[in-house]
Short mmCIF file of all heavy atoms in Angstrom, two decimals:
data_model
loop_
_atom_site.label_atom_id
_atom_site.label_comp_id
_atom_site.label_asym_id
_atom_site.label_seq_id
_atom_site.Cartn_x
_atom_site.Cartn_y
_atom_site.Cartn_z
N THR A 19 205.44 103.48 -9.66
CA THR A 19 204.06 103.60 -9.80
C THR A 19 203.50 104.16 -11.16
O THR A 19 202.37 104.18 -11.44
CB THR A 19 203.48 104.57 -8.71
OG1 THR A 19 204.08 105.90 -8.83
CG2 THR A 19 203.80 103.96 -7.25
N CYS A 20 204.46 104.55 -12.01
CA CYS A 20 204.23 105.07 -13.31
C CYS A 20 204.01 103.96 -14.35
O CYS A 20 204.86 103.10 -14.45
CB CYS A 20 205.33 106.00 -13.70
SG CYS A 20 205.00 106.71 -15.42
N LYS A 21 202.97 103.96 -15.08
CA LYS A 21 202.67 102.94 -15.99
C LYS A 21 203.54 103.04 -17.27
O LYS A 21 203.64 102.09 -18.07
CB LYS A 21 201.20 103.06 -16.63
CG LYS A 21 200.09 102.76 -15.45
CD LYS A 21 200.21 101.41 -15.01
CE LYS A 21 199.12 101.12 -14.09
NZ LYS A 21 199.08 99.82 -13.44
N ALA A 22 204.29 104.13 -17.33
CA ALA A 22 205.27 104.22 -18.50
C ALA A 22 206.61 103.83 -18.12
O ALA A 22 207.67 103.96 -18.90
CB ALA A 22 205.26 105.60 -19.01
N SER A 23 206.86 103.32 -16.88
CA SER A 23 208.20 103.08 -16.29
C SER A 23 208.65 101.68 -16.70
O SER A 23 207.87 100.81 -17.23
CB SER A 23 208.20 103.13 -14.82
OG SER A 23 207.64 102.02 -14.20
N VAL A 24 209.95 101.41 -16.47
CA VAL A 24 210.54 100.07 -16.80
C VAL A 24 209.88 98.90 -16.01
O VAL A 24 210.12 97.78 -16.31
CB VAL A 24 212.01 100.09 -16.58
CG1 VAL A 24 212.77 100.99 -17.49
CG2 VAL A 24 212.42 100.28 -15.09
N TYR A 25 209.18 99.29 -14.96
CA TYR A 25 208.44 98.24 -14.15
C TYR A 25 207.12 97.73 -14.77
O TYR A 25 206.56 96.70 -14.35
CB TYR A 25 208.17 98.82 -12.70
CG TYR A 25 209.39 99.11 -12.01
CD1 TYR A 25 209.86 100.45 -11.97
CD2 TYR A 25 210.31 98.17 -11.52
CE1 TYR A 25 211.12 100.79 -11.37
CE2 TYR A 25 211.46 98.39 -10.86
CZ TYR A 25 211.90 99.77 -10.85
OH TYR A 25 213.05 100.13 -10.23
N PHE A 26 206.73 98.32 -15.88
CA PHE A 26 205.53 97.85 -16.54
C PHE A 26 205.96 97.61 -18.02
O PHE A 26 205.78 98.48 -18.93
CB PHE A 26 204.44 98.91 -16.53
CG PHE A 26 203.82 99.25 -15.06
CD1 PHE A 26 204.56 100.24 -14.26
CD2 PHE A 26 202.87 98.46 -14.69
CE1 PHE A 26 204.01 100.40 -13.03
CE2 PHE A 26 202.41 98.70 -13.39
CZ PHE A 26 202.99 99.72 -12.65
N HIS A 27 206.48 96.43 -18.22
CA HIS A 27 207.09 96.16 -19.55
C HIS A 27 206.05 96.13 -20.72
O HIS A 27 206.42 96.32 -21.83
CB HIS A 27 207.78 94.74 -19.51
CG HIS A 27 206.90 93.53 -19.28
ND1 HIS A 27 206.44 93.23 -18.00
CD2 HIS A 27 206.40 92.65 -20.19
CE1 HIS A 27 205.64 92.15 -18.16
NE2 HIS A 27 205.64 91.85 -19.43
N ASP A 28 204.72 96.03 -20.39
CA ASP A 28 203.73 95.99 -21.44
C ASP A 28 203.51 97.45 -21.89
O ASP A 28 203.01 97.67 -23.03
CB ASP A 28 202.44 95.41 -20.97
CG ASP A 28 202.53 93.87 -20.75
OD1 ASP A 28 203.48 93.34 -21.33
OD2 ASP A 28 201.74 93.32 -20.03
N SER A 29 203.81 98.45 -21.11
CA SER A 29 203.52 99.85 -21.49
C SER A 29 204.77 100.78 -21.17
O SER A 29 204.57 101.99 -21.30
CB SER A 29 202.42 100.32 -20.63
OG SER A 29 202.62 100.27 -19.28
N VAL A 30 206.03 100.20 -21.10
CA VAL A 30 207.04 101.04 -20.91
C VAL A 30 207.31 101.97 -22.11
O VAL A 30 207.12 101.62 -23.19
CB VAL A 30 208.28 100.25 -20.67
CG1 VAL A 30 208.73 99.43 -21.90
CG2 VAL A 30 209.55 101.19 -20.23
N ARG A 31 207.56 103.20 -21.74
CA ARG A 31 207.88 104.26 -22.81
C ARG A 31 209.33 104.45 -22.89
O ARG A 31 210.01 104.83 -21.87
CB ARG A 31 207.17 105.51 -22.55
CG ARG A 31 205.72 105.44 -22.72
CD ARG A 31 205.10 106.87 -22.69
NE ARG A 31 203.65 106.73 -22.87
CZ ARG A 31 202.91 107.72 -23.01
NH1 ARG A 31 203.34 108.97 -23.04
NH2 ARG A 31 201.59 107.60 -23.17
N ILE A 32 209.96 104.42 -24.04
CA ILE A 32 211.27 104.65 -24.29
C ILE A 32 211.39 105.97 -24.94
O ILE A 32 210.87 106.22 -26.00
CB ILE A 32 211.99 103.54 -25.10
CG1 ILE A 32 211.91 102.21 -24.42
CG2 ILE A 32 213.41 103.94 -25.30
CD1 ILE A 32 212.26 101.09 -25.19
N THR A 33 212.09 106.98 -24.43
CA THR A 33 212.26 108.29 -24.99
C THR A 33 213.57 108.28 -25.69
O THR A 33 214.75 108.25 -25.00
CB THR A 33 212.19 109.32 -23.97
OG1 THR A 33 210.95 109.19 -23.27
CG2 THR A 33 212.32 110.72 -24.55
N ASP A 34 213.74 108.34 -26.95
CA ASP A 34 214.96 108.41 -27.79
C ASP A 34 215.25 109.93 -28.11
O ASP A 34 214.39 110.55 -28.72
CB ASP A 34 214.85 107.57 -28.98
CG ASP A 34 214.77 106.08 -28.75
OD1 ASP A 34 215.50 105.68 -27.75
OD2 ASP A 34 214.16 105.34 -29.49
N LEU A 35 216.39 110.36 -27.73
CA LEU A 35 216.78 111.76 -28.07
C LEU A 35 218.08 111.68 -28.66
O LEU A 35 218.87 110.72 -28.74
CB LEU A 35 216.87 112.48 -26.69
CG LEU A 35 215.68 112.60 -25.87
CD1 LEU A 35 215.97 113.26 -24.47
CD2 LEU A 35 214.58 113.45 -26.61
N PRO A 36 218.43 112.84 -29.44
CA PRO A 36 219.78 112.81 -30.22
C PRO A 36 220.84 112.65 -29.16
O PRO A 36 220.82 113.23 -28.11
CB PRO A 36 219.68 114.18 -30.86
CG PRO A 36 218.35 114.76 -30.69
CD PRO A 36 217.65 113.94 -29.61
N PHE A 37 221.88 112.09 -29.65
CA PHE A 37 223.04 111.82 -28.80
C PHE A 37 224.00 113.02 -28.93
O PHE A 37 224.97 112.99 -29.71
CB PHE A 37 223.76 110.44 -29.10
CG PHE A 37 224.82 110.06 -28.18
CD1 PHE A 37 224.45 109.42 -26.97
CD2 PHE A 37 226.16 110.23 -28.36
CE1 PHE A 37 225.31 108.99 -26.00
CE2 PHE A 37 227.11 109.81 -27.40
CZ PHE A 37 226.70 109.33 -26.33
N THR A 38 223.70 114.10 -28.09
CA THR A 38 224.43 115.32 -28.19
C THR A 38 224.95 115.71 -26.83
O THR A 38 224.37 115.24 -25.78
CB THR A 38 223.68 116.43 -28.85
OG1 THR A 38 222.50 116.76 -27.86
CG2 THR A 38 223.07 116.09 -30.16
N ALA A 39 225.78 116.58 -26.78
CA ALA A 39 226.24 117.07 -25.43
C ALA A 39 225.17 117.71 -24.74
O ALA A 39 224.98 117.69 -23.52
CB ALA A 39 227.41 118.14 -25.68
N LEU A 40 224.34 118.53 -25.48
CA LEU A 40 223.06 119.18 -24.74
C LEU A 40 222.12 118.10 -24.20
O LEU A 40 221.75 118.26 -23.12
CB LEU A 40 222.39 120.01 -25.86
CG LEU A 40 221.13 120.79 -25.30
CD1 LEU A 40 221.51 121.63 -24.18
CD2 LEU A 40 220.38 121.49 -26.38
N THR A 41 221.91 117.01 -24.92
CA THR A 41 221.09 115.99 -24.39
C THR A 41 221.66 115.33 -23.11
O THR A 41 220.97 115.16 -22.19
CB THR A 41 220.80 114.88 -25.53
OG1 THR A 41 220.29 115.49 -26.55
CG2 THR A 41 219.90 113.76 -24.92
N LEU A 42 222.92 115.06 -23.16
CA LEU A 42 223.63 114.39 -22.02
C LEU A 42 223.66 115.37 -20.75
O LEU A 42 223.75 114.84 -19.71
CB LEU A 42 225.02 113.95 -22.37
CG LEU A 42 225.10 112.87 -23.41
CD1 LEU A 42 226.47 112.56 -23.87
CD2 LEU A 42 224.40 111.61 -22.88
N THR A 43 223.70 116.72 -20.96
CA THR A 43 223.89 117.54 -19.90
C THR A 43 222.49 118.22 -19.41
O THR A 43 222.54 118.93 -18.48
CB THR A 43 224.86 118.64 -20.20
OG1 THR A 43 224.33 119.44 -21.33
CG2 THR A 43 226.22 118.14 -20.46
N SER A 44 221.44 117.81 -20.01
CA SER A 44 220.11 118.31 -19.66
C SER A 44 219.32 117.20 -18.86
O SER A 44 219.58 116.02 -19.08
CB SER A 44 219.33 118.72 -20.87
OG SER A 44 219.99 119.69 -21.64
N GLU A 45 218.37 117.62 -18.08
CA GLU A 45 217.58 116.72 -17.43
C GLU A 45 216.24 116.53 -18.24
O GLU A 45 215.80 117.44 -18.82
CB GLU A 45 217.21 117.23 -16.09
CG GLU A 45 218.35 117.17 -14.99
CD GLU A 45 218.00 117.39 -13.68
OE1 GLU A 45 216.86 117.66 -13.37
OE2 GLU A 45 218.93 117.31 -12.74
N HIS A 46 215.80 115.33 -18.30
CA HIS A 46 214.61 114.93 -19.08
C HIS A 46 213.60 114.40 -18.12
O HIS A 46 213.93 113.59 -17.22
CB HIS A 46 214.93 114.01 -20.26
CG HIS A 46 216.10 114.55 -21.04
ND1 HIS A 46 216.04 115.55 -21.96
CD2 HIS A 46 217.43 114.27 -21.01
CE1 HIS A 46 217.20 115.79 -22.40
NE2 HIS A 46 218.09 115.02 -21.92
N TYR A 47 212.39 114.51 -18.45
CA TYR A 47 211.22 114.06 -17.47
C TYR A 47 210.25 113.26 -18.11
O TYR A 47 209.84 113.51 -19.25
CB TYR A 47 210.65 115.35 -16.80
CG TYR A 47 211.63 116.07 -15.96
CD1 TYR A 47 212.38 117.13 -16.47
CD2 TYR A 47 211.90 115.66 -14.63
CE1 TYR A 47 213.33 117.77 -15.62
CE2 TYR A 47 212.81 116.31 -13.78
CZ TYR A 47 213.51 117.32 -14.41
OH TYR A 47 214.50 118.00 -13.56
N CYS A 48 209.58 112.32 -17.41
CA CYS A 48 208.59 111.53 -17.92
C CYS A 48 207.36 112.33 -18.18
O CYS A 48 206.94 113.16 -17.36
CB CYS A 48 208.29 110.39 -16.80
SG CYS A 48 206.91 109.32 -17.29
N SER A 49 206.64 112.03 -19.38
CA SER A 49 205.59 112.88 -19.69
C SER A 49 204.31 112.41 -18.92
O SER A 49 203.33 113.17 -18.92
CB SER A 49 205.31 112.73 -21.32
OG SER A 49 205.11 111.30 -21.55
N ILE A 50 204.43 111.23 -18.32
CA ILE A 50 203.27 110.74 -17.47
C ILE A 50 203.31 111.22 -16.03
O ILE A 50 202.34 111.75 -15.55
CB ILE A 50 203.16 109.20 -17.59
CG1 ILE A 50 203.16 108.68 -19.10
CG2 ILE A 50 201.98 108.71 -16.76
CD1 ILE A 50 201.90 109.16 -19.82
N CYS A 51 204.42 110.95 -15.40
CA CYS A 51 204.54 111.24 -13.95
C CYS A 51 205.56 112.25 -13.62
O CYS A 51 205.58 112.67 -12.41
CB CYS A 51 205.02 109.95 -13.23
SG CYS A 51 206.74 109.53 -13.57
#
């Protein structure tokens, strides 16, 4: 139901983060939903 999700290809948001151990072991959340 989120307009930023992969289900809405016109408005999908891709969050690029540094490829680090901290990034891989942390949880990240959608800024919309």
Side-chain angles (χ1 to χ4, degrees):
T19 62
C20 179
K21 295 293 184 188
S23 76
V24 296
Y25 298 101
F26 294 90
H27 67 279
D28 291 339
S29 59
V30 64
R31 286 193 184 188
I32 301 169
T33 304
D34 291 323
L35 298 172
F37 193 78
T38 64
L40 180 60
T41 301
L42 292 171
T43 57
S44 301
E45 290 189 354
H46 309 285
Y47 296 91
C48 177
S49 59
I50 305 299
C51 71

